[in-house]
Amino acid sequence: MTSASAQRRRTAREAALAAAVEEGLLDARSPLIGLLDVDGVLAAVDDLHHAFSGPATVRHTFAAKACSLVPVLRLLARAGMGCEVASPGELELALEAGFPPGRLVFDSPAKTVAELRFALDHGIAVNLDNFQELARVDALLAGRSPAGPIGLRVNPQVGAGAIGAMSTATSTSKFGIALRDEGAVQAVADAFAARPWLSRLHAHVGSQGCPLPLIAQGVRAVHELADHINAALGRRQVTGLDIGGGLPVDFDSDEDRPGYADYVTELRAAVPELLDGRYTLVTEFGRSLLAKSGTIASLVEYTKSAGGRRIAVTHAGAQVATRTVFMPDSWPLRAGVYDAAGRPKQGATEVVDIAGPCCFAGDLTAVGRELPAVEPGDIVALYDTGAYYFSTHFAYNSLPRPAVHGYRTDAEGQIRFALVREAQSVRQVVEESGAAHADALVGLLAAGGPGHAEGTAV
Ligand SMILES: *Cc1c(COP(=O)(O)O)cnc(C)c1O
């Protein structure tokens, strides 16, 4: 059975694809676009807020890397979210979007001194990754108290999920202080004892592929550590637990499965006291808030056949579906075929590979799929691509970033679009590729050197 929210999203997506063709957003001049369902995003935010209702104060932040687009961040700020940032670029995007500094959380395993100073001066919550970083903060504070909450990221080392690269709580993960390592718990407790301003513990167990019980186990370890530190200190110094994000997304269907309510049920089972109000909770969800609301749409440029396999060549490849192309088994996407007017194609099916424009053989977004027969001029849609896909461009083959359009269905049932990001022009690609320094290397030759006198033919 299809849930009402999944059905609404699907209906809106089909209407948006047809409207994108009708309004000329998707045509030969712009054969690749990203589409974002605004109501879908807001519904996900709503689900999240409802799931965590409890005595505890819960501050939900959005992990900016999942959809690093200013209008999306502003929409989420308006919807009451905070923002988790992990680089200077993400920090600047979040400020541009209008998040007050007090609603930001700054993570990242490689914060520079300047970034730390900025965060400390502006009351931005910071999760420190390691003891060297803690020492930097000691030096920057020089006895002052920080303006915002400061936490320590720990790695509960509860193990890996289905995708190694997405599992941040393995025994050797690069993130946080590895809690099960010899002496680590004592070292963390000592760090808190020496610094009354340290007030949070942070863990993000993993992203896509981590089962809920594994995440809950990590949260439980952090909760136990907080209780242990506070008991040892005889005061309630740890007041906040940042439990990260990582709710997996079902890329096989339109459903939100598991949902935030399932996640909270799992958390309550593992840590019954988690939401009793003793600790303020912070969450950092990314993919689960945006994935289902995004669609990549591309015109089919050519269809062909090779070795008995049908291939549809589209404009969507590794530049917008990087993980899927490079790790197809871990990141399969559903694909749909639409006719030139943007209507779902019916009729006889064929087994087909959906290829992208990049010049390497593995640039395929779907392999061996049974889909309605594809023809040039049709549209292929890649579903569930609202997070980490069109917002996370890979500049292979100097392919430009595609335009992204947000959409809503208005009271009359009509689709209304808003431009979220312009398509990058080919000229911009050239400029970003060092055009202003076109003479730089030839100029080095002109300056003379071994074996390259001025005027040497190259
Ligand atoms: C990536 C990341 C998140 C978000 O993960 P999702 O799987 O997108 O929910 C949250 N916190 C940290 C520290 C992260 O690195």
Side-chain angles (χ1 to χ4, degrees):
M1 205 193 74
T2 310
S3 70
S5 59
Q7 186 58 49
R8 188 210 60 77
R9 265 197 310 254
R10 188 191 302 170
T11 305
R13 182 174 69 209
E14 291 186 359
L17 280 160
V21 173
E22 193 173 320
E23 296 191 22
L25 304 179
L26 180 62
D27 61 13
R29 281 168 305 137
S30 46
L32 173 67
I33 58 173
L35 292 170
L36 199 60
D37 177 346
V38 172
D39 291 316
V41 174
L42 295 179
V45 171
D46 239 38
D47 282 352
L48 173 61
H49 280 95
H50 278 110
F52 275 86
S53 57
T57 303
V58 187
R59 301 191 195 290
H60 297 291
T61 68
F62 173 66
K65 72 171 182 283
C67 193
S68 41
L69 296 166
V70 173
V72 173
L73 298 181
R74 182 163 295 184
L75 178 74
L76 292 168
R78 173 74 70 87
M81 299 286 301
C83 193
E84 185 264 354
V85 298
S87 73
E90 288 179 4
L91 175 57
E92 212 49 45
L93 292 183
L95 293 171
E96 184 80 24
F99 286 103
R103 273 206 264 154
L104 299 183
V105 175
F106 189 22
D107 294 335
S108 158
K111 302 179 208 79
T112 65
V113 170
E115 289 161 28
L116 285 168
R117 183 181 294 119
F118 183 89
L120 294 175
D121 287 350
H122 290 81
I124 295 169
V126 184
N127 288 316
L128 305 176
D129 183 81
N130 57 66
F131 291 117
Q132 291 178 357
E133 195 183 9
L134 183 59
R136 279 190 176 176
V137 169
D138 286 338
L140 285 167
L141 288 174
R144 286 178 299 142
S145 286
I150 309 289
L152 217 49
R153 179 166 183 172
V154 295
N155 169 9
Q157 290 169 299
V158 288
I163 310 175
M166 306 307 291
S167 302
T168 45
T170 61
S171 66
T172 56
S173 161
K174 73 172 179 178
F175 294 105
I177 293 160
L179 274 190
R180 292 184 185 176
D181 283 10
E182 174 105 33
V185 167
Q186 191 57 47
V188 170
D190 291 347
F192 276 79
R195 297 169 186 80
W197 44 264
L198 264 183
S199 63
R200 278 189 184 172
L201 286 170
H202 173 223
H204 169 67
V205 169
S207 293
Q208 187 68 17
C210 283
L212 297 190
L214 185 76
I215 300 178
Q217 229 185 305
V219 173
R220 182 193 164 104
V222 172
H223 189 267
E224 281 172 358
L225 178 62
D227 280 353
H228 169 77
I229 292 171
N230 286 347
L233 293 176
R235 59 174 186 259
R236 293 209 44 244
Q237 183 175 327
V238 182
T239 54
L241 303 179
D242 182 337
I243 62 173
L247 185 70
V249 164
D250 177 8
F251 285 96
D252 282 336
S253 80
D254 276 315
E255 300 295 331
D256 300 293
R257 203 168 38 204
Y260 293 112
D262 303 317
Y263 179 70
V264 172
T265 300
E266 197 72 44
L267 284 181
R268 285 187 196 277
V271 201
E273 331 80 81
L274 184 66
L275 288 157
D276 69 5
R278 277 185 304 142
Y279 298 104
T280 294
L281 293 193
V282 179
T283 75
E284 308 170 333
F285 292 102
R287 180 176 293 103
S288 52
L289 283 166
L290 263 292
K292 292 276 162 204
S293 295
T295 304
I296 291 169
S298 170
L299 290 192
V300 175
E301 200 67 49
Y302 301 106
T303 56
K304 57 198 281 190
S305 161
R309 173 62 60 79
R310 296 284 298 157
I311 301 167
V313 181
T314 74
H315 293 276
Q319 87 279 32
V320 286
T322 314
R323 281 188 173 135
T324 295
V325 166
F326 288 109
M327 298 175 72
D329 296 336
S330 296
W331 299 99
L333 287 175
R334 292 178 300 142
V337 183
Y338 294 75
D339 67 17
R343 291 172 306 227
K345 260 199 144 173
Q346 316 285 347
T349 60
E350 62 182 8
V351 174
V352 64
D353 289 357
I354 308 293
C358 297
C359 294
F360 63 96
D363 191 37
L364 305 167
T365 52
V367 175
R369 293 291 172 83
E370 183 156 352
L371 291 168
V374 192
E375 294 160 67
D378 285 350
I379 294 159
V380 166
L382 300 174
Y383 303 139
D384 311 323
T385 48
Y388 303 98
Y389 281 90
F390 53 72
S391 59
T392 311
H393 192 82
F394 171 44
Y396 199 87
N397 272 144
S398 299
L399 288 162
R401 288 186 286 269
V404 177
H405 304 275
Y407 62 88
R408 286 196 86 183
T409 312
D410 70 15
E412 280 79 53
Q414 295 296 308
I415 292 288
R416 296 189 41 189
F417 289 106
L419 185 62
V420 171
R421 181 185 71 193
E422 273 155 8
Q424 191 180 27
S425 69
V426 169
R427 185 63 217 164
Q428 285 170 322
V429 172
V430 172
E431 278 162 12
E432 285 184 14
S433 304
H437 312 287
D439 278 333
L441 299 182
V442 172
L444 269 187
L445 298 186
H452 276 295
E454 196 172 348
T456 302
V458 284

